[in-house]
Amino acid sequence: MQIQVDIGFDDLVRLIKKLPKDQLKELKKEIDKAGYSDSQDLESFLLQAPTFSEEQLKAIAQARKTINEWRKN
């Protein structure tokens, strides 16, 4: 048998705060295991982000060099 309950976010937070410490720790482990952590989202975002090619890096280095020379004069 399966029951679905619609509960508001505030109600959920209030219920979670009433949990005993051991159950709260267990809930946190389950949430972490499910992959809902921000750091994991950031890591996957960074790993999938575009990167510069060698040609683009050389162009950036040349632009920096030119700007630095211009600033000295």
Side-chain angles (χ1 to χ4, degrees):
M1 176 189 270
Q2 190 175 27
I3 298 174
Q4 183 174 348
V5 177
D6 291 329
I7 184 168
F9 180 77
D10 293 334
D11 294 331
L12 179 61
V13 170
R14 190 170 44 252
L15 290 171
I16 289 172
K17 287 182 177 181
K18 291 180 182 179
L19 288 173
K21 285 187 179 185
D22 59 332
Q23 287 183 340
L24 190 58
K25 287 180 184 179
E26 187 177 333
L27 176 62
K28 184 175 179 345
K29 284 181 189 177
E30 288 297 321
I31 290 172
D32 290 343
K33 188 168 57 172
Y36 296 119
S37 69
D38 291 338
S39 62
Q40 189 175 26
D41 293 340
L42 176 61
E43 181 181 355
S44 65
F45 169 75
L46 291 175
L47 290 173
Q48 294 174 4
T51 58
F52 288 113
S53 67
E54 287 296 321
E55 183 179 303
Q56 290 171 320
L57 290 173
K58 288 178 185 176
I60 291 169
Q62 182 60 42
R64 285 182 180 164
K65 181 179 176 185
T66 303
I67 291 170
N68 286 336
E69 289 175 4
W70 174 77
R71 286 176 41 197
K72 290 178 185 177
N73 294 332

